[in-house]
Amino acid sequence: MPYFDAASSAPLHPVARQALLASLDEGWADPARLYREGRRAGMLLAAAREAAAEAVGCRPDELVFTSSGTEAVHSGISGALSGRRRVGRHLALSAVEHSSVLHAAAALEAEGGTSTEVAVDRHGAVDPSAFGRALRPDTALACLQSANHETGTEQPVAEVAALCAAAGVPLLVDAAQSLGRGPVPDGWSLLAASAHKWGGPAGVGLLAVRKGVRFAPRGPAGDRGPGRAAGFPNLPAIVAAAASLRAVREEAGAENARLRALVDRIRAEVPRLVPDVEVVGDPVRRLPHLVTFSCLYVDGETLLHELDRAGFSVSSGSSCTSSTLTPSHVLKAMGVLSEGNIRVSLPDGTTREDVGRFLEVLPGVVAGVREKLGAPAAASPSPAREAPLVVDALGRRCPVPVIELAKVIGEVPVGGTVTVLADDEAARLDIPAWCEMREQEYVGEEPADRGSAHVVRRLV
Amino acid sequence: MPYFDAASSAPLHPVARQALLASLDEGWADPARLYREGRRAGMLLAAAREAAAEAVGCRPDELVFTSSGTEAVHSGISGALSGRRRVGRHLALSAVEHSSVLHAAAALEAEGGTSTEVAVDRHGAVDPSAFGRALRPDTALACLQSANHETGTEQPVAEVAALCAAAGVPLLVDAAQSLGRGPVPDGWSLLAASAHKWGGPAGVGLLAVRKGVRFAPRGPAGDRGPGRAAGFPNLPAIVAAAASLRAVREEAGAENARLRALVDRIRAEVPRLVPDVEVVGDPVRRLPHLVTFSCLYVDGETLLHELDRAGFSVSSGSSCTSSTLTPSHVLKAMGVLSEGNIRVSLPDGTTREDVGRFLEVLPGVVAGVREKLGAPAAASPSPAREAPLVVDALGRRCPVPVIELAKVIGEVPVGGTVTVLADDEAARLDIPAWCEMREQEYVGEEPADRGSAHVVRRLV
């Protein structure tokens, strides 16, 4: 049963499992204690810190383990902001950062600080010079992910780091998605990552803070001395995390190339096998193992369920799969289609056969969902009609507004317009995305009594 | 090799180990996901929450798992303070709370709030009516441990809870030391605990917040919905924590009685076997498995090392064993001797033989340390001298100032005084404690050019 959601959580690496088991017996005592059980635990902790520091490319005393990647991001951002409070309270970040970074930015704003989200292009990458322009005299910190968790697009970290260095602004790099796959470009001031993304256990994150970076931990002090995380260290999991990081990094050379070829195949085949699909994210500057595409006229939640029934575990940035019923902020920032969205992220060891079977199953699953929803066939132009049309999709959720639009577009004379009334948040993203895919013109959004009126002009 | 520091961290319980292993394979995926691996993880998480809630005595939706007991305490206190910010920013707590509580109180004060530490008696217990007097109209929260981590003394939680309820103040009970041993007295509003104290794995704490308690989580929002901890859940460890909590609670009836008898034996035998020892903590209202005593004229660090060499792992609240060179705040608040302090906390399964061997070894170890330090024999009065004496112990660390005092007291005429000059923080506690043990009068402390001058009058 292939699991294709490694970007959410990777199955435990065999090395992590072994290290965890071994240190359950050796590493349960408090490493701060002077007796033998404590000394043994202390040695395990020191060795784990050294191994992790080597993988990260920093000194062991620049690195602490946290209880999750989220905690690493939160304490990294709050510590760096506090450390530079005299400079100002402005945070620069890309619009496609992980939610943990966005939540930290929101917390800063709630406390009276400000932040600037740097826009991304259609592939989801920031433009370094645009990022540079977001750096202000009062910017305390900049945040940029090494690669995006939903699209795999790599960010220009080295270029942005150079601009930050020139402006004297520390840069926090969220390397959660990439650290297991290879080195992070140089120039970061703080780096955060999460073990269960590289096949380590849950419950372990890491935060590296370069010497010389102003850092003032917030909240209650810990017992473990300055720069140490508060609370008792989760030692067996830390040992397992460090061991598996080393192991996956050693395997990454061969495995990255293999997975990149499999993803290339998905990127090439999906649009050939499934009509009306948009593959998103940078085709070249990307993580090796991750690909995202969106299917017109498809409800993401049903698609996930059908793929799950067929044995494939994937995730989605569609609005119908989120608790807030809004599409993923990443897809939104990119301005790409969000309906019928699927993220495939291959764990190490995924076979050609697994991918082949996925490509066999997918077209039928998508077609089945479309049929249930009454989506229009790929090419079914109807005779033209006279009057401007209004399609009422109020109260209907994604992908229905787009399906209703697609059904009537053939009735609109070329050059004429159709107006779609919709109150689903995803329509804002998906109607313009449909227009771009179909080479029609998205005229714009007008306020309406309820929801919005989206005006579309038929061009072809 | 007996490990006698269960109050610091208990070895992993076999049930925890089994549950951890089983859920490594079943519980690595994100429980928020819709596919089968996620659903399976979600079911494990729900079952663990139910089991833990049953042990705690709350509803499953009143309980969250955190990444440590410290995090449970910190987020419990900060959330309760924020939730009642309109009432005021005052915190009432006992003077002998765990450092995580004290650090949270310090963080509150750094932000402009205030706190009141309620004093304890010589056994380390708060007086409920004194605690009640610390509750003010602007008190947002009260904190009281179920039992003390250094002395085992149980606090009058039910009585304090009743006073808090009458005053409309929520009470957070830090049950870290007692939850594995039995139910917590009723009446708490928030409860915090730590899994590795009951034989669960590190990396798991729990925080229960009763419905109706005003609670506003601080810091960046999490992804997991309101009331859930931020970050990816450490599922295998959570499952192991819940399973072992249930197991140790089932075993506690028999095990508590057995360990209580062993501790009673230590409490009775140590003062008989070792001269000049003070056993501290409540002899009756106490945890079953924990006992603390202090040995005059002994350096705690050397004592720990010698016991470690003899095969016994214990901890100490002596100043020389802390990174700050100050004695434990608990012993300080109790006003008892801190030099040569030893905490023995027996893990489940400790045998009569282990304890017997400890009692065999201890007298020789203490005598050896005393001999090395040139401590006075228990009864060696010297002939009286005339003039008031000054003992210069400046720059000398605990237990030297007390040893120097004990050496000369025989030379002081009955009714005369001797002055000890000392700049070691522990002398403040240990010279008065020595006077009490030796039935001499501690006249007081006077400022001196360097350190302090401690004046002692010979009575006997």
Side-chain angles (χ1 to χ4, degrees):
Chain A
M1 302 286 267
Y3 171 80
F4 283 177
D5 197 20
S8 164
S9 187
L12 200 65
H13 192 282
V15 163
R17 195 187 165 91
Q18 274 167 29
L20 185 65
L21 292 188
S23 52
L24 283 180
D25 297 323
E26 298 281 315
W28 50 268
D30 185 344
R33 298 288 178 184
L34 303 171
Y35 43 71
R36 63 193 174 286
E37 294 89 349
R39 293 194 303 270
R40 214 153 57 194
M43 284 187 288
L44 286 175
L45 182 57
R49 188 180 284 128
E50 249 177 66
E54 201 192 318
V56 167
C58 67
R59 289 167 24 181
D61 61 353
E62 292 175 327
L63 183 146
V64 292
F65 294 105
T66 63
S67 65
S68 66
T70 294
E71 200 214 320
V73 162
H74 287 173
S75 63
I77 292 178
S78 70
L81 288 173
S82 295
R84 290 186 27 104
R85 186 145 179 175
R86 281 192 209 160
V87 171
R89 305 187 66 193
H90 175 253
L91 179 71
L93 67 162
S94 89
V96 295
E97 294 300 304
H98 186 263
S99 58
S100 59
V101 176
L102 301 185
H103 286 146
L108 170 67
E109 296 200 346
E111 287 179 358
T114 54
S115 68
T116 304
E117 284 192 7
V118 180
V120 295
D121 63 19
R122 239 184 123 74
H123 284 328
V126 292
D127 169 23
S129 59
F131 204 108
R133 283 192 299 275
L135 303 176
R136 313 189 318 202
D138 65 337
T139 302
L141 179 67
C143 292
L144 183 63
Q145 62 199 186
S146 55
N148 186 267
H149 52 295
E150 289 194 39
T151 63
T153 298
E154 288 175 351
Q155 300 294 350
V157 170
E159 293 89 328
V160 168
L163 292 170
C164 287
V169 173
L171 174 66
L172 182 146
V173 171
D174 169 12
Q177 287 300 331
S178 76
L179 191 64
R181 307 253 142 232
V184 176
D186 226 20
W188 52 266
S189 318
L190 302 99
L191 181 144
S194 170
H196 74 102
K197 308 276 190 196
W198 70 63
V204 182
L206 63 80
L207 173 65
V209 183
R210 289 269 187 224
K211 285 285 160 222
V213 172
R214 280 185 195 282
F215 193 81
R218 284 191 62 179
D223 264 345
R224 310 266 151 191
R228 298 282 85 89
F232 193 84
N234 185 359
L235 197 55
I238 285 172
V239 170
S244 54
L245 179 56
R246 199 200 294 245
V248 297
R249 290 282 289 262
E250 277 167 11
E251 296 155 5
E255 199 59 14
N256 284 354
R258 220 178 55 77
L259 295 177
R260 181 173 285 275
L262 293 178
V263 164
D264 280 340
R265 188 173 160 208
I266 298 175
R267 292 186 71 98
E269 290 290 292
V270 165
R272 208 180 57 77
L273 297 168
V274 182
D276 296 326
V277 158
E278 183 174 19
V279 179
V280 302
D282 196 299
V284 180
R285 286 190 62 156
R286 62 169 176 84
L287 293 172
H289 66 302
L290 198 160
V291 53
T292 300
F293 53 87
S294 301
C295 310
L296 266 183
Y297 318 136
V298 167
D299 153 30
E301 190 172 356
T302 311
L303 187 56
L304 287 196
H305 279 304
E306 293 300 321
L307 284 171
D308 178 46
R309 282 183 51 191
F312 294 94
S313 301
V314 297
S315 75
S316 169
S318 293
S319 58
C320 53
T321 63
S322 88
S323 55
T324 53
L325 293 176
T326 53
S328 128
H329 71 275
V330 173
L331 301 177
K332 217 152 133 185
M334 295 164 70
V336 296
L337 187 70
S338 77
E339 68 185 31
N341 179 259
I342 291 293
R343 176 184 71 180
V344 170
S345 52
L346 308 176
D348 284 2
T350 302
T351 63
R352 278 191 64 79
E353 289 67 38
D354 290 339
V355 169
R357 214 159 60 76
F358 177 71
L359 292 173
E360 260 170 54
V361 162
L362 182 70
V365 166
V366 172
V369 179
R370 283 178 176 163
E371 202 186 317
K372 254 191 262 180
L373 288 169
S380 59
S382 322
R385 275 212 308 202
E386 290 284 309
L389 275 171
V390 174
V391 173
D392 182 354
L394 289 167
R396 315 292 301 275
R397 297 243 159 260
C398 155
V400 174
V402 175
I403 290 178
E404 294 303 316
L405 167 61
K407 276 186 187 163
V408 302
I409 192 73
E411 299 172 22
V412 180
V414 171
T417 63
V418 55
T419 298
V420 183
L421 300 174
D423 50 9
D424 183 21
E425 178 66 22
R428 287 226 156 93
L429 184 55
D430 291 340
I431 293 177
W434 178 89
C435 290
E436 182 137 348
M437 289 172 77
R438 280 285 177 269
E439 295 176 336
Q440 310 294 2
E441 181 189 345
Y442 182 67
V443 179
E445 179 180 336
E446 288 164 10
D449 287 350
R450 247 180 84 203
S452 302
H454 300 271
V455 181
V456 173
R457 187 184 316 280
R458 180 173 175 191
L459 299 184
V460 293
Chain B
M1 300 285 266
Y3 171 80
F4 283 176
D5 198 20
S8 165
S9 187
L12 200 65
H13 192 281
V15 163
R17 194 186 165 90
Q18 274 166 28
L20 185 64
L21 292 189
S23 52
L24 283 181
D25 297 323
E26 298 282 314
W28 50 268
D30 185 344
R33 297 288 176 184
L34 304 171
Y35 42 71
R36 63 192 175 285
E37 294 88 349
R39 292 194 305 269
R40 212 153 57 194
M43 283 186 288
L44 287 173
L45 181 57
R49 187 180 286 127
E50 249 175 66
E54 200 193 319
V56 167
C58 68
R59 287 166 25 182
D61 61 352
E62 292 176 326
L63 184 145
V64 292
F65 294 105
T66 63
S67 64
S68 68
T70 294
E71 201 215 319
V73 164
H74 288 173
S75 62
I77 291 179
S78 71
L81 288 173
S82 295
R84 290 188 26 106
R85 187 146 179 176
R86 280 192 210 159
V87 172
R89 306 188 65 193
H90 175 252
L91 179 71
L93 68 162
S94 90
V96 295
E97 294 299 305
H98 185 263
S99 58
S100 59
V101 176
L102 301 185
H103 287 144
L108 170 67
E109 295 200 345
E111 287 179 358
T114 55
S115 68
T116 303
E117 284 191 7
V118 181
V120 295
D121 63 21
R122 238 184 124 73
H123 284 327
V126 292
D127 169 23
S129 60
F131 204 107
R133 284 192 298 277
L135 303 176
R136 314 189 316 203
D138 65 337
T139 302
L141 179 68
C143 291
L144 184 62
Q145 61 198 189
S146 54
N148 186 268
H149 51 296
E150 289 193 38
T151 63
T153 298
E154 287 174 351
Q155 301 294 350
V157 169
E159 293 89 328
V160 168
L163 292 170
C164 287
V169 174
L171 174 66
L172 182 145
V173 171
D174 170 11
Q177 287 300 332
S178 76
L179 190 64
R181 306 253 144 233
V184 176
D186 228 19
W188 52 266
S189 317
L190 302 98
L191 181 145
S194 170
H196 74 101
K197 309 277 190 196
W198 70 65
V204 183
L206 63 81
L207 173 65
V209 183
R210 289 267 187 227
K211 285 287 159 220
V213 172
R214 280 185 194 281
F215 194 81
R218 284 191 63 178
D223 265 345
R224 311 266 151 193
R228 299 281 87 87
F232 192 84
N234 185 0
L235 197 55
I238 285 171
V239 170
S244 55
L245 179 55
R246 198 200 297 242
V248 296
R249 288 281 289 262
E250 277 166 13
E251 295 155 6
E255 199 60 15
N256 284 354
R258 220 177 56 77
L259 295 177
R260 181 173 287 273
L262 294 178
V263 164
D264 280 339
R265 186 171 163 211
I266 298 175
R267 292 187 71 98
E269 290 289 293
V270 165
R272 209 180 56 78
L273 297 168
V274 182
D276 296 327
V277 158
E278 183 174 18
V279 179
V280 302
D282 196 297
V284 179
R285 286 190 61 156
R286 61 168 177 86
L287 292 172
H289 65 302
L290 198 158
V291 53
T292 299
F293 53 87
S294 301
C295 309
L296 266 184
Y297 318 135
V298 167
D299 154 28
E301 190 172 355
T302 311
L303 188 55
L304 287 197
H305 278 303
E306 294 300 322
L307 285 172
D308 177 48
R309 282 183 52 192
F312 295 93
S313 301
V314 297
S315 75
S316 169
S318 293
S319 58
C320 55
T321 63
S322 88
S323 55
T324 53
L325 293 174
T326 52
S328 130
H329 71 275
V330 173
L331 302 177
K332 218 152 133 184
M334 294 165 69
V336 296
L337 187 69
S338 78
E339 67 185 34
N341 179 260
I342 291 292
R343 177 185 71 180
V344 170
S345 52
L346 308 176
D348 285 1
T350 301
T351 64
R352 278 190 63 80
E353 290 66 39
D354 291 339
V355 169
R357 212 156 63 75
F358 177 72
L359 292 172
E360 261 171 54
V361 162
L362 183 70
V365 166
V366 171
V369 178
R370 283 178 176 163
E371 203 186 316
K372 253 191 264 179
L373 288 169
S380 60
S382 322
R385 278 210 308 202
E386 290 284 310
L389 275 172
V390 173
V391 174
D392 181 354
L394 289 166
R396 314 290 302 275
R397 296 244 160 261
C398 155
V400 174
V402 175
I403 290 178
E404 295 303 317
L405 167 61
K407 276 183 184 163
V408 301
I409 193 73
E411 300 172 24
V412 180
V414 170
T417 63
V418 54
T419 298
V420 183
L421 301 174
D423 50 9
D424 183 20
E425 179 66 21
R428 289 227 154 92
L429 184 56
D430 291 340
I431 293 178
W434 177 89
C435 292
E436 182 136 349
M437 288 172 78
R438 280 281 177 274
E439 295 175 340
Q440 309 294 1
E441 181 189 347
Y442 183 67
V443 180
E445 179 182 337
E446 288 165 9
D449 287 351
R450 247 179 85 203
S452 302
H454 299 272
V455 181
V456 172
R457 187 183 317 280
R458 180 173 175 188
L459 299 184
V460 291

